[in-house]
Amino acid sequence: MKTTHNQKWLSIFLGLALTAMLLLGGCTNITPTEPTPSPTSPTSPSPTSPAKPVTDVTVVRVTYSYGATDKVQLSNNNLVLKVGQTLILEPAPGLTTNTRFTSSGENFFGNVMKQDATGQDNTKASFTAIAPGKGKLTIIPNTNDTARATDLWVTVQ
């Protein structure tokens, strides 16, 4: 059975039309979107513990410590806070050296977290969550020993 030249073109056209309908038929919104990470799956570069939502308290305390040569150790390094909660970073008992805190992103502090006045106790750093967002605090021992620094990831919901 021989097909004519017109039947071949018709078959090719119908095949292409069906393929196009299959490929485009289910796509009603083809606007690209960024995936939104869930609060329990951090996008940080391999934190050592999963994020723990903190909902029952208004003040969350994280203790940091370090020796003469080791990295900074944190009591928790991945937090999920609610707007209005306060984060207090405090040194472990006996730690008397100066520690510096820096943040990621130019707007994490000021737009997401704000530093509270320290008052007379300059050994603690206090921050209040003021808007949803995510960022990190880097805790640097001796104010400049960045090789031993550790990151504290904070997500505000």
Side-chain angles (χ1 to χ4, degrees):
M1 179 149 97
K2 286 188 168 183
T3 59
T4 65
H5 184 66
N6 287 340
Q7 287 177 332
K8 286 182 183 179
W9 282 109
L10 183 60
S11 295
I12 291 172
F13 175 74
L14 287 175
L16 289 172
L18 286 173
T19 302
M21 288 186 341
L22 285 173
L23 291 175
L24 298 176
C27 299
T28 57
N29 180 5
I30 58 173
T31 305
T33 59
E34 295 271 335
T36 305
S38 71
T40 57
S41 62
T43 58
S44 62
S46 68
T48 58
S49 66
K52 297 177 184 171
V54 182
T55 56
D56 297 341
V57 295
T58 56
V59 176
V60 177
R61 294 183 187 277
V62 174
T63 304
Y64 60 91
S65 65
Y66 52 89
T69 58
D70 56 341
K71 288 185 72 101
V72 174
Q73 300 295 314
L74 301 174
S75 60
N76 190 347
N77 70 337
N78 199 351
L79 298 172
V80 177
L81 302 175
K82 298 284 186 191
V83 172
Q85 288 183 306
T86 299
L87 167 63
I88 296 178
L89 294 170
E90 56 189 1
L95 185 62
T96 58
T97 60
N98 290 328
T99 304
R100 182 172 57 135
F101 305 97
T102 62
S103 72
S104 68
E106 61 184 70
N107 297 320
F108 184 65
F109 282 93
N111 290 346
V112 176
M113 300 281 289
K114 73 170 178 137
Q115 186 165 5
D116 304 324
T118 57
Q120 294 179 345
D121 188 1
N122 291 329
T123 62
K124 298 177 186 175
S126 177
F127 308 93
T128 300
I130 57 175
K134 180 171 183 161
K136 69 177 176 178
L137 279 172
T138 302
I139 296 94
I140 305 169
N142 304 317
T143 69
N144 63 356
D145 197 351
T146 56
R148 299 188 309 129
T150 296
D151 294 330
L152 169 63
W153 288 91
V154 179
T155 301
V156 178
Q157 298 177 334

